[in-house]
Amino acid sequence: MKFAKPDRTFWIRVAAVIAVILVAILMYIIGKQHNVYVDNKDQGSYKAFSFCEVTIDSQESLQLAKRDRDVFTVVNQGHKFTVEANGETKTVKLNIPLQMKNVLINIPAFMAGAPQSEWMSEFIIETVAPAADETVVTDDTAVFFE
């Protein structure tokens, strides 16, 4: 069996398919959305601040009191992360791993200069489903249909 030699049209189609795949990969990386939870809570020997102000990129800053947690929604991998607490300001270039959708940052550990593995971790949201034997009442009229 003899195959025909690929012509110019074939190579244009191959190039177009490769270009679409590369654009899709690039858009996935650039457009990946993350939730960055900032946490002003005690963590081990790091004590929470009575008040701190947190900013990511050019978004509106968040003020956190002791034992507060709030969230930023960001797009992309690299961000400018700034914290101001007790008159001290600290800024770092924050690179969020691609596989993490939700990231938790502990402010006291960050401000103490701990390694990134101590102040940044993946935030796993736990959902609790009702047990199979529990009756779930969704509204007041549900008792009429039992």
Side-chain angles (χ1 to χ4, degrees):
M1 177 182 273
K2 192 173 186 181
F3 292 103
K5 184 177 178 183
D7 60 349
R8 183 173 181 222
T9 305
F10 172 78
W11 292 113
I12 290 173
R13 288 180 183 167
V14 168
V17 168
I18 291 172
V20 167
I21 291 171
L22 290 175
V23 167
I25 292 170
L26 180 67
M27 294 306 292
Y28 176 76
I29 293 171
I30 290 174
K32 181 84 170 164
Q33 180 175 332
H34 303 276
N35 295 322
V36 179
Y37 293 88
V38 288
D39 200 4
N40 186 20
K41 298 180 182 179
D42 294 341
Q43 178 181 343
S45 63
Y46 307 114
K47 299 302 176 194
F49 297 104
S50 58
F51 180 80
C52 67
E53 188 172 343
V54 182
T55 307
I56 293 184
D57 296 333
S58 59
Q59 292 188 22
E60 187 176 326
S61 64
L62 297 174
Q63 288 81 27
L64 300 173
K66 195 173 193 175
R67 293 184 300 277
D68 271 353
R69 177 183 288 164
D70 214 332
V71 64
F72 287 98
T73 301
V74 295
V75 177
N76 209 339
Q77 303 308 113
H79 305 282
K80 181 182 173 187
F81 182 68
T82 305
V83 178
E84 183 178 337
N86 292 346
E88 181 185 348
T89 302
K90 190 170 182 183
T91 302
V92 70
K93 173 107 169 90
L94 180 67
N95 289 313
I96 301 173
L98 191 60
Q99 70 274 13
M100 286 189 188
K101 170 127 177 73
N102 299 309
V103 177
L104 177 65
I105 297 177
N106 183 272
I107 301 300
F110 170 75
M111 291 299 284
Q116 185 173 345
S117 61
E118 286 188 36
W119 55 263
M120 186 171 99
S121 62
E122 186 171 9
F123 183 65
I124 299 171
I125 300 172
E126 295 180 14
T127 56
V128 179
D133 58 343
E134 287 184 30
T135 303
V136 178
V137 177
T138 56
D139 60 13
D140 295 335
T141 61
V143 294
F144 299 119
F145 300 109
E146 288 183 347

